[in-house]
Amino acid sequence: DAKTTQPPSMDCAEGRAANLPCNHSTISGNEYVYWYRQIHSQGPQYIIHGLKNNETNEMASLIITEDRKSSTLILPHATLRDTAVYYCIVSLASSGYALNFGKGTSLLVTP
Amino acid sequence: NAGVTQTPKFQVLKTGQSMTLQCAQDMNHEYMSWYRQDPGMGLRLIHYSVGAGITDQGEVPNGYNVSRSTTEDFPLRLLSAAPSQTSVYFCASEGLAGGMQFFGPGTRLTVL
């Protein structure tokens, strides 16, 4: 599986968009990009995933560059409850049953 | 649906003791996994299963055994607990449609 690089921490003001970057320059053509988050010490929570096209759901948007070497997770209107560690994961499997988590980005949303 | 459940929530063991961490899911998911998370670190995959009777090793399998006799249950056994196994353990499951893993609340294990 391709490795990912994320900034260790980011801040965002409440109500603003949070844009979390992820580099995955060695991604192969059949690898998906997954995003999960972990609030405090709870179990991780799935956010979104994609292969090539941009994706959007009720939680977030995923923007994948055309060369697929990087992506950005966008939380359009961050709230205090979005404070969490966000993990960008690249996996060969279309079903991510064997995900390899890194250290992620610790996002702090401030009032 | 209860989703993914884990028991116990907390456990303290002495070095050399054995125990089983329980994980169950009621979503009829084929895929199940065990992860551990050390303080300040991301999750690391211990073992996973793609269906009843089929298991495989992840990144950090040493000191742990698993079996999958039913679709619902995926217990993790610590054979001889060591202080290095002090961690938070998460179980996860995923359906055949793929793309989304569901995690349990975790078991916080301390080995003295």
Side-chain angles (χ1 to χ4, degrees):
Chain A
D1 291 351
K3 291 186 177 179
T4 62
T5 302
Q6 297 179 254
S9 64
M10 294 182 64
D11 293 344
C12 178
E14 189 177 20
R16 303 296 294 270
N19 297 286
L20 289 86
C22 180
N23 287 325
H24 31 79
S25 58
T26 60
I27 191 171
S28 62
N30 56 350
E31 287 183 311
Y32 286 72
V33 180
Y34 294 85
W35 282 86
Y36 283 76
R37 73 180 182 182
Q38 187 174 26
I39 297 174
H40 194 44
S41 54
Q42 299 176 18
Q45 176 189 24
Y46 166 85
I47 302 173
I48 199 167
H49 77 287
L51 182 63
K52 294 181 181 179
N53 299 323
N54 298 338
E55 303 287 345
T56 296
N57 62 21
E58 65 278 4
M59 290 181 66
S61 295
L62 173 60
I63 308 299
I64 303 174
T65 58
E66 191 171 347
D67 63 7
R68 301 205 329 119
K69 293 185 177 182
S70 66
S71 61
T72 300
L73 178 74
I74 301 173
L75 308 178
H77 304 287
T79 70
L80 299 179
R81 290 180 295 179
D82 291 322
T83 292
V85 177
Y86 288 78
Y87 296 98
C88 170
I89 302 162
V90 174
S91 176
L92 272 171
S94 60
S95 53
Y97 55 84
L99 297 174
N100 286 313
F101 287 75
K103 294 187 178 181
T105 295
S106 179
L107 175 67
L108 176 64
V109 181
T110 57
Chain B
N1 288 350
V4 179
T5 58
Q6 293 183 238
T7 56
K9 291 185 178 180
F10 301 93
Q11 183 70 50
V12 178
L13 293 177
K14 294 181 179 179
T15 297
Q17 287 184 314
S18 63
M19 80 158 294
T20 299
L21 279 63
Q22 301 292 344
C23 174
Q25 51 93 8
D26 62 359
M27 296 172 282
N28 201 31
H29 285 169
E30 288 295 319
Y31 306 135
M32 296 187 74
S33 307
W34 275 104
Y35 297 85
R36 62 176 286 174
Q37 185 173 33
D38 299 328
M41 304 291 288
L43 281 74
R44 292 185 293 171
L45 184 66
I46 305 172
H47 285 284
Y48 63 98
S49 169
V50 300
I54 306 170
T55 64
D56 205 347
Q57 297 181 351
E59 180 186 357
V60 288
N62 292 339
Y64 307 95
N65 273 359
V66 293
S67 60
R68 184 100 179 268
S69 57
T70 68
T71 298
E72 294 78 19
D73 301 300
F74 191 41
L76 178 71
R77 284 183 289 277
L78 279 70
L79 308 175
S80 178
S84 61
Q85 293 179 305
T86 293
S87 190
V88 180
Y89 292 83
F90 290 102
C91 179
S93 74
E94 182 174 353
L96 283 175
M100 185 187 309
Q101 283 199 1
F102 294 85
F103 284 80
T107 292
R108 283 148 184 80
L109 175 68
T110 301
V111 182
L112 303 174

